[in-house]
Amino acid sequence: MPGGLPSISFASTIVGFISFAFTFFTFLRVFWESIQTIWSAPKEIRQLLDNLRTELYGERAYFKNAIKQARSKSNSSTRENAEIAPLSILNDSIKSMMRDFRQMEAPFLENREGAEDLDIEKSGKVSLRGSYGRMDFRRRYIWLHTKSDFMDLANQVTRVQARRIAYETSNTLSCVREVEKRIQDLDDRVYALEEHLLGERLDDGKTILIWAISFIGIRAWTPIVVKSVTALGPQITPDVTRVSRDGGYSVLLNDHIVWLYDDTECMDLGGKQLSFVSNTAAYAKDANKNITVLQDFGVEVAGKDKKSGLTEYAILADTTVGTGGWISFSADELDFNEERKGKERVAIWPGTSPTPYSTSQAYLFAPLVYVDSKPKDPSKEYQARGMTLISISASSTGPVASRQGDLIIPGTDVAYGGFSSLLGYTSTDNTQDLGDRDVYLLGITNGGLQLARARVEKLTDFSKYRFWDPTQLKFTKKPPDLDEKEYRKIYLPGSFTYGSVFYSPYFYTFIMVYFNKFVDSTFRIRFLDLDDPVGDDPIWPKRGKQGKGIAPEDIEALVKYAWSPEQELYKSPPGKGGFNYAGMAHPEYFNRQYFAPSLYPKGTSVSKQRNTWYGSSLVAEKDAGADGKHLLLSWTSQLEGGFDSGIYQVQLAKVEFDAVPDTLDGNFVSAAASSSMPTFSLASTTFSSTASASASRTSSLEPSGTMLTSTGSGGRSTYQPWSREYPLRFERWSAWLGLSLLPALWIVGCMGMVR
């Protein structure tokens, strides 16, 4: 364009004017904000600095407290690093910010001493407000240049607070989850306790009603009532100078009552040790003359007492534990014990009463235990290596034990058979080899008793065992966890240490007598309730197998019926140790039906399928009332010395049961000669029934010594049916109270069911 500016120059001019305008207005904005900052400095300084100061000192106080609490709770360096490290890092950040804050705050304070560090926990000041000087132009000008630094510092504090809140939230969530887990565990324990006390899980309303009824003195009817208890004192060992031993388990074989013991120490008259072995065995010397006297074996002359000149005797007079005792050690175990000389040792403790598989032989699952006399960790004093299998016989020269291999059940599994075991007919769910007998083995866990099953000829092969799964109501190949705590997966939840399970001809059902872990020296008792079937198996309805009761060989009933609630049987007087242990029952005394009919030799008539009566010096057979009405109990008590030391003795007592209440109908009726009942023997096993074809098989345990086999046959026994409908029996002293409160309790129960 002639005489004018080029178009590009015109555009540049426009852009220049616009840029100048933006710059000018930005300058005006900044200038105005600076004027506002200078003008409002007194108000902003007090608000921002006071808030920032309060937040910094508050955060510092929190972290000091949190670190102190975390250190007080920490029991290990690992936990301390995990819990305290994040707090220490955040605390260091706050300290650094506080130093910066004091430097930045100093020009605004009236007195520089106000800038010194202040511990909010130790300060007696109510307020953390700063004492600021007069806001002259110099302080206003400084504020203009440092305000942004204070704002950055405030943002940093906010980020620390956010991280602290995240840490607290995480910890709170973790605590909530832990509380939830513990509440669930408590709920499970309460649930299990109700089952333990009531025998079955009732709905909430019925549970409330039953608990309320129990508190006012109305109790459910039970056939087990104790009439009297007679204390018999300690067992007497005339063959040994002085002995200390615990345990006390027994079995009847070949007309000899064999007593088994755990650790046995023999001493001279002055208390000096003569021998120590991990197990011994003895015979009841004359059970019909004096039930407490024993006949020991393996007794040797150990010298003479210097003062009295009397000859001193000890069992296996060897002060080391190398020889083991009555149950021999393997070569490796023997070498280990000889090398350690008692400081560490392998022990074999019988642990429970043997189970007869004929009238002359029995088997026993005994625990192999590693013992460290002075462990660094007290919980490691006794460590289970597993279970070994022992066959036992009784000759005129003494009891004989033969080990059936080394470890049958490894220590990583439940110690099956360690609590008790039962031998009987093959289970109805086993459709093959009907002539073989089953063994049911009970083992103790922290949650209660677990149950396994094995064919008698497969006892030495743990891979052939089957394990009861209560959730499926059947035996499976998968063993339960050794530390299983979920009661639904435990055969019988509860607390158990020592005990006996046996068939009672007096109550016509299986009885369990035991000690629990409450260290109160009290015997507990349960019975297998034939009116409480588990599941709906038509073979096992109410009142026993096919409604006709159960025989001693019907061990499958253990998984077909529920155990009754726990009852107290007898509280034994504790010794100097404060409590007793190893509580056992001995049904071979006061009972001519100790052996199941099938254990007698083939061809034995029904009238001769009875063992000798033992204990006539206390209870004559003609005065007993019935087989099994009287029961011998034993326990280990401390006679002398302090806790975990001194002299231990096995004490005895006799319990007499009261008459079974009229609500229990029926009498024992022998049907051994009935052709419709199955018969069998172990070595040459036959099975016959009108409803099934016969089968035969030779069954035996493969021994590493003598053959664990037996011959025998016999008929089963049938019973008149039980007719029990659980009527309530009213205690005289509380019947009137119970009756008066029943309507109210029924309403409470209904409310619980509605809820």
Side-chain angles (χ1 to χ4, degrees):
M1 179 184 299
L5 293 173
S7 57
I8 187 64
S9 297
F10 180 75
S12 298
T13 301
I14 297 298
V15 171
F17 275 111
I18 293 173
S19 299
F20 174 77
F22 273 109
T23 303
F24 178 74
F25 285 114
T26 300
F27 170 76
L28 288 178
R29 183 180 63 81
V30 172
F31 179 76
W32 179 250
E33 288 179 353
S34 299
I35 295 297
Q36 285 184 320
T37 299
I38 292 173
W39 181 262
S40 58
K43 183 179 179 181
E44 288 184 347
I45 287 174
R46 291 186 181 280
Q47 290 179 349
L48 182 58
L49 269 62
D50 282 346
N51 287 338
L52 194 52
R53 172 189 276 256
T54 301
E55 290 177 357
L56 285 168
Y57 282 106
E59 290 299 311
R60 184 183 177 190
Y62 167 80
F63 287 120
K64 287 181 69 176
N65 243 351
I67 292 173
K68 186 184 298 183
Q69 291 178 5
R71 281 178 178 158
S72 67
K73 295 178 182 178
S74 296
N75 296 322
S76 65
S77 58
T78 303
R79 179 174 179 180
E80 183 172 337
N81 290 336
E83 294 188 4
I84 298 178
L87 297 174
S88 298
I89 293 172
L90 294 175
N91 187 44
D92 291 342
S93 299
I94 289 294
K95 286 182 182 179
S96 177
M97 294 178 194
M98 290 182 69
R99 286 193 295 268
D100 294 341
F101 176 75
R102 287 195 297 272
Q103 293 175 3
M104 294 163 56
E105 183 192 35
F108 304 101
L109 297 175
E110 184 176 8
N111 186 350
R112 288 297 185 100
E113 293 180 357
E116 65 183 9
D117 192 9
L118 180 64
D119 192 333
I120 192 172
E121 292 178 298
K122 298 179 180 179
S123 174
K125 295 184 178 181
V126 177
S127 174
L128 287 174
R129 288 182 179 275
S131 179
Y132 302 109
R134 186 175 62 86
M135 288 295 108
D136 53 17
F137 182 77
R138 184 180 67 84
R139 287 192 173 99
R140 293 172 187 259
Y141 182 77
I142 293 173
W143 175 247
L144 176 65
H145 288 280
T146 59
K147 179 180 177 180
S148 60
D149 295 333
F150 280 104
M151 297 300 294
D152 290 341
L153 187 60
N155 289 334
Q156 293 178 41
V157 173
T158 301
R159 286 195 292 272
V160 170
Q161 288 174 328
R163 288 195 291 271
R164 187 253 300 168
I165 292 171
Y167 175 83
E168 288 180 327
T169 303
S170 177
N171 275 358
T172 303
L173 183 60
S174 176
C175 290
V176 168
R177 287 174 178 170
E178 181 66 22
V179 170
E180 181 183 14
K181 181 180 178 182
R182 293 190 179 187
I183 290 175
Q184 182 61 45
D185 182 63
L186 179 62
D187 181 62
D188 289 344
R189 289 174 183 270
V190 171
Y191 195 107
L193 182 61
E194 289 181 2
E195 280 194 331
H196 178 70
L197 294 176
L198 300 177
E200 61 177 320
R201 175 67 179 176
L202 304 176
D203 58 74
D204 290 342
K206 292 181 181 178
T207 301
I208 293 173
L209 181 61
I210 293 299
W211 271 85
I213 288 177
S214 66
F215 273 112
I216 64 171
I218 306 173
R219 302 174 184 174
W221 177 87
T222 170
I224 298 179
V225 180
V226 176
K227 182 178 181 180
S228 65
V229 179
T230 304
L232 304 177
Q235 288 187 322
I236 300 172
T237 55
D239 301 317
V240 183
T241 301
R242 199 178 185 194
V243 66
S244 170
R245 56 186 172 193
D246 58 1
Y249 323 102
S250 65
V251 63
L252 172 61
L253 298 173
N254 264 353
D255 292 326
H256 294 287
I257 296 178
V258 184
W259 282 85
L260 283 60
Y261 302 93
D262 299 332
D263 284 345
T264 302
E265 180 182 15
C266 293
M267 295 160 286
D268 63 15
L269 294 175
K272 181 182 177 181
Q273 184 185 89
L274 298 175
S275 69
F276 183 92
V277 289
S278 69
N279 58 79
T280 52
Y283 281 165
K285 192 166 187 177
D286 188 346
N288 283 317
K289 184 176 181 181
N290 190 333
I291 203 171
T292 64
V293 179
L294 298 173
Q295 179 185 2
D296 280 292
F297 298 90
V299 178
E300 300 177 8
V301 175
K304 287 189 176 182
D305 180 61
K306 294 181 180 179
K307 292 183 179 180
S308 64
L310 296 175
T311 303
E312 295 175 324
Y313 299 91
I315 301 171
L316 302 175
D318 184 349
T319 55
T320 73
V321 296
T323 55
W326 177 61
I327 303 172
S328 61
F329 286 134
S330 66
D332 290 343
E333 294 161 351
L334 187 63
D335 291 343
F336 179 88
N337 287 349
E338 289 285 5
E339 180 183 345
R340 300 302 194 277
K341 299 297 182 183
K343 295 179 181 179
E344 299 171 78
R345 63 185 173 105
V346 174
I348 302 176
W349 296 332
T352 190
S353 292
T355 302
Y357 60 91
S358 74
T359 59
S360 59
Q361 288 184 300
Y363 67 86
L364 169 71
F365 279 87
L368 280 166
V369 184
Y370 169 80
V371 183
D372 187 347
S373 61
K374 295 182 179 179
K376 294 181 180 179
D377 182 356
S379 65
K380 303 295 184 183
E381 183 176 0
Y382 304 105
Q383 300 181 56
R385 293 186 62 236
M387 304 295 286
T388 187
L389 182 60
I390 315 294
S391 65
I392 300 171
S393 59
S395 67
S396 59
T397 58
V400 179
S402 175
R403 287 183 63 177
Q404 308 295 308
D406 184 16
L407 283 178
I408 304 300
I409 303 175
T412 53
D413 284 276
V414 176
Y416 292 106
F419 182 77
S420 188
S421 70
L422 295 166
L423 175 71
Y425 292 126
T426 186
S427 302
T428 55
D429 63 342
N430 285 344
T431 57
Q432 299 176 352
D433 302 327
L434 295 179
D436 295 339
R437 280 189 278 183
D438 282 344
V439 176
Y440 278 43
L441 304 108
L442 289 162
I444 302 173
T445 69
N446 289 332
L449 296 179
Q450 294 286 25
L451 179 66
R453 183 183 73 190
R455 294 294 176 85
V456 68
E457 73 276 9
K458 301 294 184 182
L459 277 183
T460 57
D461 187 354
F462 189 60
S463 66
K464 302 297 184 182
Y465 285 34
R466 297 297 179 261
F467 310 94
W468 181 250
D469 184 348
T471 61
Q472 303 183 55
L473 294 181
K474 67 177 183 179
F475 286 95
T476 65
K477 293 183 179 180
K478 183 180 179 182
D481 187 355
L482 179 61
D483 297 320
E484 182 62 64
K485 295 180 181 178
E486 189 176 350
Y487 68 92
R488 297 177 182 84
K489 297 181 180 179
I490 299 172
Y491 166 68
L492 182 58
S495 174
F496 304 88
T497 54
Y498 293 86
S500 309
V501 181
F502 55 94
Y503 183 86
S504 169
Y506 185 65
F507 296 109
Y508 306 134
T509 188
F510 289 100
I511 299 293
M512 181 185 295
V513 177
Y514 59 96
F515 268 14
N516 60 23
K517 298 177 183 178
F518 294 156
V519 294
D520 58 1
S521 308
T522 301
F523 283 89
R524 269 79 178 182
I525 188 168
R526 296 173 185 251
F527 63 92
L528 197 66
D529 190 348
L530 301 187
D531 275 352
D532 191 5
V534 177
D536 54 358
D537 191 330
I539 300 177
W540 302 94
K542 282 188 175 183
R543 304 174 184 176
K545 191 172 185 179
Q546 297 176 343
K548 299 179 180 179
I550 58 174
E553 295 95 338
D554 286 327
I555 58 174
E556 190 180 4
L558 267 64
V559 296
K560 298 301 181 180
Y561 299 95
W563 287 96
S564 71
E566 180 181 272
Q567 294 177 243
E568 287 192 5
L569 178 62
Y570 169 58
K571 184 175 179 62
S572 60
K576 291 189 176 181
F579 63 91
N580 302 325
Y581 63 98
M584 300 294 295
H586 306 275
E588 64 271 20
Y589 289 88
F590 319 113
N591 177 18
R592 295 197 66 195
Q593 299 181 60
Y594 172 71
F595 294 113
S598 59
L599 298 184
Y600 286 92
K602 188 175 182 180
T604 303
S605 63
V606 176
S607 62
K608 292 185 178 181
Q609 291 178 0
R610 297 288 187 271
N611 53 270
T612 303
W613 180 269
Y614 296 99
S616 58
S617 61
L618 291 174
V619 182
E621 183 179 2
K622 62 183 179 61
D623 301 323
D627 287 326
K629 185 179 181 182
H630 300 260
L631 181 65
L632 184 68
L633 302 178
S634 74
W635 64 91
T636 299
S637 180
Q638 188 174 11
L639 180 65
E640 297 178 13
F643 181 74
D644 201 27
S645 64
I647 308 299
Y648 292 84
Q649 284 188 330
V650 174
Q651 305 276 339
L652 303 178
K654 179 186 71 68
V655 172
E656 180 183 1
F657 296 108
D658 208 345
V660 178
D662 293 338
T663 45
L664 180 60
D665 240 358
N667 299 303
F668 173 79
V669 177
S670 176
S674 173
S675 60
S676 63
M677 301 309 296
T679 62
F680 61 78
S681 65
L682 182 59
S684 179
T685 309
T686 62
F687 182 95
S688 63
S689 173
T690 56
S692 61
S694 63
S696 65
R697 166 181 291 271
T698 300
S699 62
S700 65
L701 281 168
E702 294 297 334
S704 58
T706 59
M707 291 294 290
L708 186 56
T709 60
S710 68
T711 60
S713 69
R716 306 182 55 163
S717 302
T718 58
Y719 303 87
Q720 296 296 334
W722 289 34
S723 59
R724 177 154 65 90
E725 302 300 334
Y726 285 107
L728 292 175
R729 184 182 63 180
F730 300 92
E731 303 293 342
R732 291 181 179 179
W733 59 269
S734 60
W736 64 271
L737 179 61
L739 289 173
S740 63
L741 291 179
L742 276 177
L745 293 173
W746 180 252
I747 294 174
V748 173
C750 291
M751 291 175 63
M753 288 185 282
V754 171
R755 180 176 65 80

